[in-house]
Amino acid sequence: RTKALENRIEEFLDLLSESGMTFRQTIGIYLADGVTKQFTAKLRQIEQMEGRGDDLRRSILAEMYRETLLPDARGDVMQLLESLDVIINKFEEVIWYFATEKPKIPKDLRGEFGRLTELSCACVEALVLTSRAFFRDVGSMKDHMHKVLFHESEADEVVSRLRSEIFGRD
């Protein structure tokens, strides 16, 4: 039973990683060409991933409680999975904003938006590794967590530059 639960947790983490890669591709498509058929197809993929993530999270939590698995860490696992699921939801939300609002991003800022996307996705990848370490080898979590913090800090700097540039324009 524990092995099946571990496999579903791994599947959830794989899904989070895949949703980040799909998000990166989708934003790249938008920055290059706007809302295209390819962009829309990627949006549909992210929608499916978000639904699958919700299903996996619910089934993992239900099984943990039903089978009384991981009783000492149950609360931590629940909080971790719910927090990670928010990221998949945010990927979908951002892509929907682009699809519906179709912001006009000046060509000279597209590189910074691309950089922000790369840093955000690198942060999520490091978070996936940190989460895997939580289940496999808690001692190695610190090895991955510093990368999460590094990428987050770098992304914050890009956001600050973008805000200054955007709101400094007419």
Side-chain angles (χ1 to χ4, degrees):
R1 292 181 323 215
T2 303
K3 189 64 177 163
L5 180 65
E6 288 173 7
N7 289 340
R8 277 209 301 288
I9 290 170
E10 284 293 322
E11 184 180 349
F12 181 85
L13 293 172
D14 288 345
L15 184 69
L16 175 58
S17 177
E18 185 179 343
S19 69
M21 291 183 282
T22 303
F23 177 81
R24 179 186 299 125
Q25 291 174 336
T26 310
I27 294 296
I29 292 165
Y30 185 85
L31 292 174
D33 301 316
V35 177
T36 62
K37 287 181 182 180
Q38 189 180 14
F39 175 92
T40 304
K42 292 290 180 185
L43 170 59
R44 299 294 173 244
Q45 273 185 283
I46 287 188
E47 288 174 329
Q48 290 172 354
M49 288 181 216
E50 192 278 329
R52 179 70 182 137
D54 287 344
D55 292 344
L56 276 168
R57 179 183 48 82
R58 281 191 293 267
S59 74
I60 290 165
L61 296 177
E63 184 167 341
M64 279 177 25
Y65 282 97
R66 186 175 56 250
E67 302 293 336
T68 61
L69 300 172
L70 304 173
D72 295 338
R74 191 178 309 155
D76 293 335
V77 171
M78 182 175 76
Q79 186 176 10
L80 176 62
L81 291 176
E82 288 177 357
S83 296
L84 294 174
D85 188 51
V86 167
I87 296 169
I88 301 172
N89 297 346
K90 206 44 100 167
F91 284 147
E92 180 188 32
E93 181 182 334
V94 169
I95 297 301
W96 263 109
Y97 284 148
F98 276 80
T100 57
E101 296 175 8
K102 298 176 182 67
K104 294 189 187 323
I105 299 173
K107 287 184 181 183
D108 63 317
L109 296 182
R110 290 180 189 171
E112 283 290 276
F113 273 93
R115 175 85 175 126
L116 179 58
T117 301
E118 291 298 321
L119 288 167
S120 298
C121 292
C123 187
V124 170
E125 279 302 311
L127 188 58
V128 167
L129 293 174
T130 304
S131 300
R132 288 187 200 284
F134 173 81
F135 293 104
R136 295 178 185 163
D137 177 20
V138 175
S140 69
M141 283 179 61
K142 187 176 180 188
D143 296 338
H144 301 292
M145 193 62 198
H146 81 280
K147 292 176 185 173
V148 173
L149 298 173
F150 175 82
H151 293 307
E152 180 184 11
S153 176
E154 292 287 309
D156 288 345
E157 289 178 23
V158 173
V159 167
S160 293
R161 284 195 306 270
L162 277 169
R163 283 184 176 151
S164 293
E165 182 63 33
I166 291 167
F167 291 104
R169 294 180 179 205
D170 291 337

